[in-house]
Amino acid sequence: MKIRLWLMLLVAWACCDGALAERLSLAMADSLLVQRNHALRSARLDVSAAEGQLAQSRRYDNPTVSVMYNVQNPNNRRWFDGGHDGEVDVQVSQPFAIGGQHAEQVKQNAALLKASLSQLLVTQRDLRTEVHTAMVDLYYQQRQAKVYDEEISSAEKILAAYREQSEKGNIAAMETQRIATMVYQLRKSRADLLLEASALEVQLRQLLGIPGNEPLTVDIDEQTAITNASGLYLALQSSQRAALDTLPEMQLLNHQKEAAQHALRWQQSQSLPQMAVQGEYDKNGSIGHNYFAVGLSVAVPLWNRNRGNIRSAQAAVEQANIDKERQQLALMQQRQADLDIVGQYLKQLAEPSPTLDSDLGQMLHAAEQQFMSRHISLVEFVDLYGNYRDTMLARLDAKNKMLQAAERLKVMWNK
């Protein structure tokens, strides 16, 4: 008895767990995105790589040690003579940096690390925007499929009744065929819509790392989302200037520009002499026993002054300035475009009666009853069904586009 009870509990838990896994809210999607998305995991590794590059650039060059040992002593004819009269020459050379040859490279890698951190934020925000807009799109694709379901269900009941009357000879076969054609077209449109929804589900599963192939159900409070979109639109419209400098895209470009400037200074420092401190010990040199010497090695930039690399680095700095201007313009244009979308569709949704959705549902039911009682013609019936479908789909499409634009604004501007 106990074993059976435990089995029932396990089955119930598995069913509940599967049901929860099929429903997806925006908060759940954000959590899964951080944990499972492959692009984000790869971007974090880019940050680790940049940290390694910075740590490596802080290290100084290693000294060079060379040792010379005589093969045969020309005085006593001994091979590899390590005794008092043998020859051993030890030389040590330690390079050192001047004029920013080391410091500018460290600063460049520090700026690149900041850029990689900003790129991580950009990647995370772009993926979050992609997930949110895909979820909104999937939600309304499923809502549009329900519109087709209601219309197909209603039309199939009428078709069944007409076929029965047609077999009895009470109704012309042409009318029955016309309704059957309408049902077929509705089913075809619904199938195309479900294929689009299926593609969105695959996209979301890949972005969020959700295994399995069970249908996903997006959980969105439509009325709250529309209210929030309206408030966001008013808030952004009233703001005179967008805080571009706080966006990770602009921070990324600023850090890339900083890295390009340090790269330019480093290339300029490479036109300076390359210097090294030298020391030498000669056990049995020409001057005498145990000879010690110190010196300075200088690579004089006589023929190669690194002008080509300096010119290339200068071009990189100018390109960074151009990229910053281009990104500023693109961000402001995208912001205004999304604001226009939200504003236009808010106005469009506010113009009809607030009860339009329920009124349309009542109209569909009334059209079905009126047609069955022969109070309206077949042409009027098809026209009413088409008006219902077109109006409902248009309203759902307006909400879809508006909330997608609102999600882009919300994620982009941290509202």
Side-chain angles (χ1 to χ4, degrees):
M1 183 67 182
K2 291 183 178 180
I3 295 176
R4 181 179 298 178
L5 178 61
W6 275 108
L7 288 174
M8 292 175 63
L9 289 174
L10 286 173
V11 171
W13 175 83
C15 293
C16 292
D17 184 66
L20 289 174
E22 293 173 6
R23 299 194 66 84
L24 188 65
S25 65
L26 294 176
M28 292 170 58
D30 289 342
S31 178
L32 291 173
L33 182 69
V34 173
Q35 296 174 13
R36 301 183 182 180
N37 184 265
H38 296 89
L40 270 183
R41 291 162 61 187
S42 178
R44 294 190 191 103
L45 292 176
D46 289 338
V47 174
S48 298
E51 291 173 342
Q53 289 294 325
L54 176 59
Q56 182 62 36
S57 65
R58 286 177 173 150
R59 301 292 183 264
Y60 289 93
D61 293 334
N62 292 321
T64 300
V65 179
S66 60
V67 179
M68 301 295 292
Y69 195 84
N70 62 194
V71 177
Q72 185 184 50
N73 192 327
N75 295 324
N76 56 23
R77 302 299 180 179
R78 291 182 180 179
W79 293 89
F80 303 104
D81 185 7
H84 181 271
D85 296 329
E87 174 70 15
V88 177
D89 185 17
V90 180
Q91 297 181 3
V92 180
S93 177
Q94 174 61 59
F96 65 92
I98 62 172
Q101 291 173 336
H102 178 75
E104 291 300 330
Q105 196 168 28
V106 174
K107 293 176 181 178
Q108 177 189 0
N109 284 310
L112 290 175
L113 174 58
K114 295 177 184 177
S116 65
L117 290 169
S118 297
Q119 181 62 62
L120 175 61
L121 294 177
V122 171
T123 302
Q124 183 173 354
R125 199 212 51 218
D126 289 347
L127 288 170
R128 188 167 172 238
T129 302
E130 184 179 357
V131 168
H132 283 206
T133 54
M135 289 178 64
V136 171
D137 197 9
L138 177 59
Y139 175 78
Y140 281 103
Q141 296 279 9
Q142 293 171 344
R143 288 279 304 277
Q144 288 177 342
K146 291 181 181 178
V147 172
Y148 282 108
D149 288 339
E150 293 175 0
E151 197 169 1
I152 289 172
S153 176
S154 176
E156 283 180 339
K157 288 190 295 184
I158 295 175
L159 178 61
Y162 263 57
R163 280 176 174 167
E164 182 180 352
Q165 294 298 321
S166 179
E167 291 174 357
K168 295 178 181 180
N170 298 329
I171 295 177
M174 183 178 296
E175 292 189 6
T176 304
Q177 185 61 34
R178 178 67 183 88
I179 298 175
T181 302
M182 182 180 69
V183 172
Y184 173 80
Q185 292 173 345
L186 290 173
R187 288 175 178 171
K188 171 65 168 55
S189 298
R190 180 181 180 275
D192 293 340
L193 192 64
L194 291 178
L195 287 176
E196 296 179 11
S198 178
L200 288 171
E201 290 185 24
V202 171
Q203 178 186 356
L204 285 171
R205 288 186 182 279
Q206 291 176 345
L207 289 171
L208 302 178
I210 301 176
N213 54 5
E214 294 295 326
L216 292 177
T217 301
V218 178
D219 188 9
I220 294 178
D221 187 344
E222 181 182 81
Q223 190 57 46
T224 302
I226 294 175
T227 302
N228 293 338
S230 178
L232 175 64
Y233 171 76
L234 294 175
L236 292 179
Q237 277 287 85
S238 62
S239 61
Q240 297 295 326
R241 183 187 177 99
L244 287 175
D245 292 337
T246 62
L247 296 180
E249 286 94 344
M250 300 311 301
Q251 294 175 356
L252 170 62
L253 291 174
N254 288 334
H255 295 319
Q256 289 177 340
K257 178 182 176 180
E258 181 185 354
Q261 291 171 339
H262 288 303
L264 172 60
R265 297 191 190 105
W266 183 79
Q267 292 293 350
Q268 290 171 340
S269 72
Q270 297 305 298
S271 64
L272 300 175
Q274 305 294 317
M275 307 183 72
V277 177
Q278 292 183 321
E280 181 178 1
Y281 164 72
D282 195 342
K283 178 183 177 183
N284 206 12
S286 59
I287 295 178
H289 290 290
N290 298 327
Y291 166 75
F292 290 91
V294 293
L296 183 67
S297 172
V298 179
V300 181
L302 185 59
W303 315 118
N304 181 5
R305 297 187 180 181
N306 206 37
R307 290 178 177 174
N309 289 332
I310 292 173
R311 183 177 178 182
S312 177
Q314 287 173 337
V317 172
E318 294 175 4
Q319 287 177 335
N321 290 326
I322 294 173
D323 290 340
K324 184 176 180 180
E325 294 176 1
R326 174 188 56 79
Q327 187 66 31
Q328 286 177 334
L329 181 61
L331 288 172
M332 292 305 299
Q333 289 178 338
Q334 182 62 51
R335 180 178 188 267
Q336 189 58 49
D338 288 332
L339 281 174
D340 291 342
I341 291 173
V342 175
Q344 288 294 330
Y345 284 117
L346 280 174
K347 182 179 179 181
Q348 177 180 332
L349 292 171
E351 286 177 353
S353 170
T355 61
L356 179 60
D357 291 346
S358 59
D359 293 343
L360 287 172
Q362 294 175 3
M363 184 193 75
L364 179 68
H365 182 66
E368 177 185 336
Q369 293 181 334
Q370 292 291 322
F371 183 63
M372 291 292 292
S373 60
R374 309 296 291 176
H375 290 160
I376 59 175
S377 66
L378 176 62
V379 175
E380 293 172 323
F381 168 73
V382 173
D383 184 59
L384 285 172
Y385 261 48
N387 288 337
Y388 166 79
R389 180 175 63 256
D390 294 342
T391 304
M392 289 295 295
L393 294 182
R395 286 178 60 81
L396 290 173
D397 185 63
K399 294 176 183 179
N400 185 8
K401 293 178 179 177
M402 181 195 65
L403 291 184
Q404 286 193 51
E407 285 298 325
R408 287 194 294 268
L409 290 171
K410 181 180 71 174
V411 177
M412 171 70 74
W413 303 99
N414 296 320
K415 296 294 182 182

